[in-house]
Amino acid sequence: MYELHTPVNHKAVVKYMGYFLIAFTFVMLVPMIVALILRNTEAATYYGFTAVAVFILGSVIYRALPEYDLETKEAVIIVALVFPVSAFISAIPMSLSTGMPFFDAYFESVSAVTTTGLSVAPADMGPVFLFARSWGQWIGGIGIILVVLSVLIRPGTTAFRIYKANYGDMKIKPTAIATTRTLGKVYIIITLASIALLLISGMSLFDSVCHAFSCVSTGGFSTHTDSIGAYQGKLIPAAISISCLLGAVSFVLYPYLFKNPEKFYRNQELRYLLMITALGTIIFGYTLSSGNFENDIIKHNVFHMISAITTAGFSTFDLSILSEASKAVLISLMWIGGSIGSTAGGIKIFRVLLLFKVVNNVLLRVFLPRETITPIKIEDHVVESEEIYNLVSFMLLYTLILVISSFIFMLYGVDTSSSVFEVSSALSTVGLSAGVTSGSMPVVLKTVLIINMLFGRIEIIPLVLLFIPGTWIKRKKSQ
């Protein structure tokens, strides 16, 4: 059965990682320029030297190897490698410029490129560090793969397979290259809209840029240790909420906003996103009021529901004071997440809808003859059996990782609800914390969260494939 199985083409994987390294050079230049503007020459030097070294390495790889047409398996492996490698490169100048231990800098970088927002960094690390984290989230949100596709890769089968491995089947243009460029334009437009909104609400220019990067990427890094709680009034939390919702809506829908508004507003995922947020707000508000919390906390319940379901991870107060019931509501919304094709993490609303459709189909078939065909549809999309297999595999692995990771936290003395909360936050790339994540946390627990964040952003199966021997080594034929 498996005799036709072949491992990935190692040289093809390395070749296209060379493309990625060249593209990532330009990503590293932005913090360097900001450091120069902020007159931090030391940080600018570290980012500049790192960018040069990465460019040289990428160029050597690019020139040393011939062109290859990628198979789907190679494209999946490349996408799985991009995020941990991006974080490793980003951690080098971050560690050197701040004096932070490299492992902690890697934690921050993984949290950035996976758009999570959990942090182990000390307070007052400086504006270059704060900008670099937010910039990393913005790049991680749309994906460095988009840069590679838009600039370096020629249209064709290889481009399509890289695109599909990162973004799935969603397309709004005839080709993968054209689609990625359109998605890039949408991403930039909603980022600029978010910056303008935050400026109007009263934020400084620096804070507006950093928070806009973190909002539309649904990342959650803030320029203040108290997150959005550092700001007074209602305008800034409202602007943050709107910006996070912009990032949690499928980018494929935005081109229809002016051409065909009905298709935008009637989208099932969008409607359920708003419905679940409204329902969660009512339940969360009830748990807060029954817990005798102050009115200042209760009035921010909508903000925290949006922060949880969009997987942005901003907060206005210390969540460690929440009751078990309140934490459970936040955990549930973190699990669900936003729309397919957005920057939001979590299981995704489409998968949740599909799961309920599958359960309904199973119950319905009890009353029907066995030969009856009962297709599963979500809007105009007819769900294939392969999608159901993928859903079952994903849900099983997601649950398994959640349970094992939470148990490891419990072994280190963290209570059950806080363990599940912290792991759910990492695995859904949210960034909300119940007070467990900190610089003093044991290395084992930091490692668990790093792995969970990568699983959450890469979506488990591609990352699992990296560690399967058959991915790299040809299997022997069974006798």
Side-chain angles (χ1 to χ4, degrees):
M1 179 178 178
Y2 297 103
E3 290 183 359
L4 295 178
H5 167 89
T6 55
V8 297
N9 183 334
H10 303 75
K11 291 183 179 179
V13 171
V14 174
K15 170 74 175 183
Y16 282 89
M17 286 303 293
Y19 275 120
F20 153 70
L21 292 175
I22 294 171
F24 200 71
T25 299
F26 299 99
V27 173
M28 298 297 292
L29 289 177
V30 174
M32 184 196 77
I33 294 169
V34 171
L36 289 172
I37 293 171
L38 295 173
R39 298 181 180 179
N40 188 335
T41 54
E42 183 182 19
T45 301
Y46 288 130
Y47 277 99
F49 274 123
T50 304
V52 171
V54 170
F55 182 81
I56 292 172
L57 178 60
S59 298
V60 169
I61 293 171
Y62 169 76
R63 294 178 181 278
L65 295 171
E67 292 289 338
Y68 294 94
D69 286 330
L70 291 183
E71 299 292 335
T72 299
K73 58 192 175 186
E74 280 106 29
V76 170
I77 293 301
I78 289 167
V79 170
L81 285 170
V82 158
F83 291 94
V85 172
S86 298
F88 181 84
I89 295 170
S90 300
I92 296 171
M94 182 180 288
S95 176
L96 293 173
S97 61
T98 62
M100 188 187 306
F102 181 80
F103 190 77
D104 285 1
Y106 185 68
F107 185 102
E108 294 292 312
S109 297
V110 169
S111 189
V113 299
T114 60
T115 71
T116 304
L118 288 171
S119 178
V120 295
D124 302 323
M125 295 298 287
V128 175
F129 168 78
L130 297 174
F131 176 84
R133 289 196 315 178
S134 297
W135 171 247
Q137 288 197 322
W138 193 77
I139 289 297
I142 195 62
I144 186 64
I145 294 296
L146 184 142
V147 179
V148 176
L149 285 172
S150 300
V151 181
L152 297 175
I153 305 294
R154 293 193 301 269
T157 304
T158 291
F160 171 74
R161 284 173 175 161
I162 292 177
Y163 172 88
K164 186 174 181 180
N166 197 59
Y167 301 109
D169 291 319
M170 64 172 194
K171 285 179 69 177
I172 48 181
K173 294 289 183 179
T175 67
I177 300 292
T179 298
T180 55
R181 288 173 180 169
T182 300
L183 292 175
K185 291 175 184 176
V186 167
Y187 197 53
I188 291 170
I189 290 169
I190 65 174
T191 301
L192 293 175
S194 177
I195 292 172
L197 194 59
L198 291 168
L199 283 170
I200 292 169
S201 69
M203 270 193 184
S204 67
L205 177 60
F206 180 80
D207 282 7
S208 295
V209 171
C210 289
H211 282 93
F213 285 166
S214 296
C215 284
V216 298
S217 65
T218 60
F221 273 139
S222 176
T223 54
H224 297 274
T225 53
D226 293 332
S227 191
I228 309 307
Y231 299 97
Q232 300 297 317
K234 298 179 180 178
L235 284 179
I236 289 177
I240 291 287
S241 297
I242 293 170
S243 299
C244 292
L245 284 171
L246 289 175
V249 174
S250 176
F251 290 176
V252 174
L253 289 179
Y254 283 109
Y256 296 107
L257 187 56
F258 300 106
K259 293 190 297 183
N260 187 1
E262 186 178 356
K263 184 167 184 176
F264 181 90
Y265 294 113
R266 293 176 71 88
N267 178 262
Q268 203 167 22
E269 272 194 295
L270 175 60
R271 286 189 282 120
Y272 274 96
L273 174 66
L274 299 176
M275 287 169 54
I276 294 168
T277 303
L279 179 61
T281 300
I282 295 170
I283 299 172
F284 190 61
Y286 174 76
T287 63
L288 291 176
S289 60
S290 63
N292 297 317
F293 286 99
E294 298 176 2
N295 288 331
D296 285 345
I297 291 178
I298 295 174
K299 71 183 182 182
H300 287 149
N301 64 332
V302 178
F303 175 87
H304 286 92
M305 288 301 96
I306 292 174
S307 183
I309 197 165
T310 63
T311 71
F314 292 107
S315 61
T316 58
F317 61 86
D318 183 4
L319 300 182
S320 63
I321 66 174
L322 291 177
S323 65
E324 302 294 290
S326 296
K327 287 180 183 177
V329 177
L330 284 174
I331 289 170
S332 299
L333 267 70
M334 289 193 292
W335 285 344
I336 294 171
S339 302
I340 290 279
S342 71
T343 59
I347 294 170
K348 302 287 191 342
I349 292 173
F350 179 86
R351 287 196 183 103
V352 174
L353 290 175
L354 179 55
L355 191 62
F356 278 104
K357 292 270 187 181
V358 170
V359 172
N360 180 68
N361 205 26
V362 170
L363 296 175
L364 179 64
R365 290 190 63 83
V366 173
F367 303 97
L368 298 173
R370 292 186 62 184
E371 64 273 12
T372 304
I373 298 174
T374 53
I376 298 174
K377 287 185 65 177
I378 296 180
E379 293 186 332
D380 298 328
H381 176 67
V382 178
V383 179
E384 303 290 340
S385 58
E386 184 178 352
E387 292 180 77
I388 297 175
Y389 296 147
N390 289 338
L391 172 67
V392 173
S393 300
F394 177 86
M395 293 302 300
L396 176 62
L397 289 171
Y398 188 96
T399 304
L400 190 62
I401 293 166
L402 179 69
V403 170
I404 293 173
S405 299
S406 299
F407 182 69
I408 294 173
F409 268 74
M410 293 177 211
L411 289 176
Y412 278 80
V414 182
D415 63 87
T416 303
S417 65
S418 295
S419 296
V420 175
F421 190 99
E422 221 72 9
V423 168
S424 298
S425 183
L427 191 54
S428 295
T429 67
V430 181
L432 291 173
S433 176
V436 177
T437 302
S438 68
S440 60
M441 189 168 57
V443 172
V444 172
L445 298 188
K446 290 178 184 177
T447 304
V448 169
L449 291 181
I450 286 172
I451 294 170
N452 285 332
M453 289 188 284
L454 290 170
F455 271 131
R457 181 61 181 86
I458 303 171
E459 298 223 320
I460 300 178
I461 292 175
L463 194 61
V464 170
L465 290 175
L466 285 180
F467 300 97
I468 295 177
T471 300
W472 308 100
I473 305 168
K474 186 173 178 61
R475 298 178 183 177
K476 294 181 180 179
K477 293 183 180 181
S478 55
Q479 298 297 323

